[in-house]
mmCIF file of all heavy atoms in Angstrom:
data_model
loop_
_atom_site.group_PDB
_atom_site.id
_atom_site.type_symbol
_atom_site.label_atom_id
_atom_site.label_comp_id
_atom_site.label_asym_id
_atom_site.label_seq_id
_atom_site.Cartn_x
_atom_site.Cartn_y
_atom_site.Cartn_z
ATOM 1 N N SER G 306 45.337 -8.696 -8.596
ATOM 2 C CA SER G 306 44.457 -8.010 -9.532
ATOM 3 C C SER G 306 45.311 -7.261 -10.543
ATOM 4 O O SER G 306 46.510 -7.099 -10.350
ATOM 5 C CB SER G 306 43.542 -7.031 -8.792
ATOM 6 O OG SER G 306 44.303 -6.103 -8.066
ATOM 7 N N ARG G 307 44.717 -6.776 -11.594
ATOM 8 C CA ARG G 307 45.422 -6.070 -12.671
ATOM 9 C C ARG G 307 46.543 -6.922 -13.229
ATOM 10 O O ARG G 307 47.653 -6.437 -13.486
ATOM 11 C CB ARG G 307 45.974 -4.727 -12.192
ATOM 12 C CG ARG G 307 44.893 -3.782 -11.687
ATOM 13 C CD ARG G 307 45.487 -2.449 -11.332
ATOM 14 N NE ARG G 307 45.773 -1.685 -12.522
ATOM 15 C CZ ARG G 307 46.576 -0.626 -12.545
ATOM 16 N NH1 ARG G 307 47.155 -0.208 -11.455
ATOM 17 N NH2 ARG G 307 46.788 0.009 -13.667
ATOM 18 N N GLN G 308 46.256 -8.196 -13.386
ATOM 19 C CA GLN G 308 47.274 -9.100 -13.900
ATOM 20 C C GLN G 308 46.591 -10.134 -14.784
ATOM 21 O O GLN G 308 45.369 -10.135 -14.920
ATOM 22 C CB GLN G 308 47.979 -9.795 -12.744
ATOM 23 C CG GLN G 308 46.999 -10.613 -11.910
ATOM 24 C CD GLN G 308 47.680 -11.356 -10.789
ATOM 25 O OE1 GLN G 308 48.566 -10.845 -10.122
ATOM 26 N NE2 GLN G 308 47.266 -12.585 -10.581
ATOM 27 N N GLU G 309 47.402 -11.004 -15.349
ATOM 28 C CA GLU G 309 46.877 -12.077 -16.184
ATOM 29 C C GLU G 309 45.868 -12.902 -15.383
ATOM 30 O O GLU G 309 46.139 -13.294 -14.270
ATOM 31 C CB GLU G 309 48.047 -12.971 -16.601
ATOM 32 C CG GLU G 309 47.723 -13.950 -17.687
ATOM 33 C CD GLU G 309 47.630 -13.278 -19.045
ATOM 34 O OE1 GLU G 309 48.437 -12.365 -19.277
ATOM 35 O OE2 GLU G 309 46.759 -13.662 -19.831
ATOM 36 N N GLY G 310 44.704 -13.119 -15.940
ATOM 37 C CA GLY G 310 43.728 -13.946 -15.254
ATOM 38 C C GLY G 310 42.737 -13.178 -14.405
ATOM 39 O O GLY G 310 41.635 -13.637 -14.148
ATOM 40 N N ARG G 311 43.131 -12.032 -13.961
ATOM 41 C CA ARG G 311 42.191 -11.180 -13.206
ATOM 42 C C ARG G 311 42.610 -9.740 -13.469
ATOM 43 O O ARG G 311 43.332 -9.147 -12.697
ATOM 44 C CB ARG G 311 42.233 -11.511 -11.718
ATOM 45 C CG ARG G 311 41.060 -10.890 -10.931
ATOM 46 C CD ARG G 311 41.003 -11.325 -9.483
ATOM 47 N NE ARG G 311 40.764 -12.755 -9.339
ATOM 48 C CZ ARG G 311 41.683 -13.650 -8.989
ATOM 49 N NH1 ARG G 311 42.909 -13.269 -8.743
ATOM 50 N NH2 ARG G 311 41.376 -14.922 -8.882
ATOM 51 N N SER G 312 42.156 -9.241 -14.592
ATOM 52 C CA SER G 312 42.751 -7.997 -15.088
ATOM 53 C C SER G 312 42.157 -6.745 -14.479
ATOM 54 O O SER G 312 42.666 -5.664 -14.710
ATOM 55 C CB SER G 312 42.587 -7.929 -16.602
ATOM 56 O OG SER G 312 41.205 -8.037 -16.905
ATOM 57 N N TYR G 313 41.084 -6.872 -13.704
ATOM 58 C CA TYR G 313 40.415 -5.642 -13.277
ATOM 59 C C TYR G 313 41.069 -5.011 -12.052
ATOM 60 O O TYR G 313 41.822 -5.646 -11.328
ATOM 61 C CB TYR G 313 38.927 -5.895 -13.002
ATOM 62 C CG TYR G 313 38.616 -6.881 -11.882
ATOM 63 C CD1 TYR G 313 38.399 -6.445 -10.582
ATOM 64 C CD2 TYR G 313 38.509 -8.237 -12.144
ATOM 65 C CE1 TYR G 313 38.101 -7.348 -9.563
ATOM 66 C CE2 TYR G 313 38.208 -9.144 -11.142
ATOM 67 C CZ TYR G 313 38.005 -8.689 -9.844
ATOM 68 O OH TYR G 313 37.708 -9.586 -8.853
ATOM 69 N N CYS G 314 40.757 -3.749 -11.876
ATOM 70 C CA CYS G 314 41.172 -3.027 -10.685
ATOM 71 C C CYS G 314 40.017 -3.108 -9.702
ATOM 72 O O CYS G 314 38.874 -2.855 -10.069
ATOM 73 C CB CYS G 314 41.443 -1.562 -11.037
ATOM 74 S SG CYS G 314 41.402 -0.438 -9.630
ATOM 75 N N SER G 315 40.306 -3.449 -8.457
ATOM 76 C CA SER G 315 39.229 -3.675 -7.499
ATOM 77 C C SER G 315 38.797 -2.419 -6.752
ATOM 78 O O SER G 315 38.108 -2.505 -5.742
ATOM 79 C CB SER G 315 39.665 -4.767 -6.520
ATOM 80 O OG SER G 315 38.608 -5.104 -5.654
ATOM 81 N N ARG G 316 39.206 -1.294 -7.235
ATOM 82 C CA ARG G 316 38.672 0.017 -6.844
ATOM 83 C C ARG G 316 38.840 0.445 -5.389
ATOM 84 O O ARG G 316 39.169 1.594 -5.123
ATOM 85 C CB ARG G 316 37.173 0.070 -7.192
ATOM 86 C CG ARG G 316 36.540 1.439 -7.132
ATOM 87 C CD ARG G 316 35.134 1.358 -7.670
ATOM 88 N NE ARG G 316 34.411 2.596 -7.555
ATOM 89 C CZ ARG G 316 34.385 3.556 -8.478
ATOM 90 N NH1 ARG G 316 35.056 3.431 -9.600
ATOM 91 N NH2 ARG G 316 33.684 4.649 -8.286
ATOM 92 N N ILE G 317 38.603 -0.442 -4.438
ATOM 93 C CA ILE G 317 38.541 -0.023 -3.040
ATOM 94 C C ILE G 317 39.836 -0.250 -2.277
ATOM 95 O O ILE G 317 39.993 0.235 -1.162
ATOM 96 C CB ILE G 317 37.425 -0.773 -2.293
ATOM 97 C CG1 ILE G 317 37.720 -2.275 -2.304
ATOM 98 C CG2 ILE G 317 36.081 -0.503 -2.911
ATOM 99 C CD1 ILE G 317 36.986 -3.006 -1.221
ATOM 100 N N CYS G 318 40.752 -1.001 -2.880
ATOM 101 C CA CYS G 318 41.923 -1.412 -2.095
ATOM 102 C C CYS G 318 42.881 -0.281 -1.766
ATOM 103 O O CYS G 318 43.513 -0.268 -0.714
ATOM 104 C CB CYS G 318 42.709 -2.512 -2.793
ATOM 105 S SG CYS G 318 41.826 -3.325 -4.110
ATOM 106 N N CYS G 319 43.041 0.702 -2.663
ATOM 107 C CA CYS G 319 43.943 1.804 -2.365
ATOM 108 C C CYS G 319 43.409 2.601 -1.175
ATOM 109 O O CYS G 319 44.147 2.887 -0.222
ATOM 110 C CB CYS G 319 44.118 2.723 -3.580
ATOM 111 S SG CYS G 319 45.226 2.044 -4.831
ATOM 112 N N MET G 320 42.131 2.925 -1.216
ATOM 113 C CA MET G 320 41.552 3.691 -0.097
ATOM 114 C C MET G 320 41.557 2.873 1.183
ATOM 115 O O MET G 320 41.758 3.401 2.277
ATOM 116 C CB MET G 320 40.122 4.118 -0.432
ATOM 117 C CG MET G 320 40.053 5.333 -1.319
ATOM 118 S SD MET G 320 40.869 6.771 -0.601
ATOM 119 C CE MET G 320 39.761 7.163 0.738
ATOM 120 N N THR G 321 41.352 1.556 1.048
ATOM 121 C CA THR G 321 41.397 0.705 2.242
ATOM 122 C C THR G 321 42.796 0.735 2.854
ATOM 123 O O THR G 321 42.956 0.856 4.075
ATOM 124 C CB THR G 321 41.013 -0.735 1.880
ATOM 125 O OG1 THR G 321 39.698 -0.743 1.335
ATOM 126 C CG2 THR G 321 41.051 -1.640 3.101
ATOM 127 N N ALA G 322 43.808 0.623 2.005
ATOM 128 C CA ALA G 322 45.176 0.649 2.517
ATOM 129 C C ALA G 322 45.453 1.979 3.210
ATOM 130 O O ALA G 322 46.042 2.025 4.282
ATOM 131 C CB ALA G 322 46.159 0.436 1.368
ATOM 132 N N LEU G 323 44.983 3.054 2.613
ATOM 133 C CA LEU G 323 45.195 4.372 3.202
ATOM 134 C C LEU G 323 44.482 4.485 4.542
ATOM 135 O O LEU G 323 45.033 4.974 5.527
ATOM 136 C CB LEU G 323 44.686 5.464 2.263
ATOM 137 C CG LEU G 323 45.730 6.114 1.363
ATOM 138 C CD1 LEU G 323 46.478 5.108 0.547
ATOM 139 C CD2 LEU G 323 45.110 7.148 0.468
ATOM 140 N N LYS G 324 43.259 3.992 4.573
ATOM 141 C CA LYS G 324 42.497 4.079 5.815
ATOM 142 C C LYS G 324 43.177 3.272 6.904
ATOM 143 O O LYS G 324 43.330 3.716 8.039
ATOM 144 C CB LYS G 324 41.076 3.572 5.582
ATOM 145 C CG LYS G 324 40.298 3.421 6.869
ATOM 146 C CD LYS G 324 39.201 2.416 6.791
ATOM 147 C CE LYS G 324 39.688 1.055 6.391
ATOM 148 N NZ LYS G 324 38.691 0.007 6.487
ATOM 149 N N ASN G 325 43.610 2.067 6.559
ATOM 150 C CA ASN G 325 44.259 1.227 7.562
ATOM 151 C C ASN G 325 45.590 1.822 8.007
ATOM 152 O O ASN G 325 46.001 1.673 9.155
ATOM 153 C CB ASN G 325 44.427 -0.202 7.043
ATOM 154 C CG ASN G 325 43.098 -0.954 7.033
ATOM 155 O OD1 ASN G 325 42.148 -0.551 7.707
ATOM 156 N ND2 ASN G 325 43.025 -2.040 6.285
#
Side-chain angles (χ1 to χ4, degrees):
Chain G
S306 57
R307 300 184 76 197
Q308 60 178 41
E309 192 75 38
R311 193 174 296 105
S312 57
Y313 62 93
C314 160
S315 185
R316 193 173 175 90
I317 62 160
C318 344
C319 283
M320 280 301 290
T321 300
L323 264 55
K324 171 205 57 172
N325 286 342

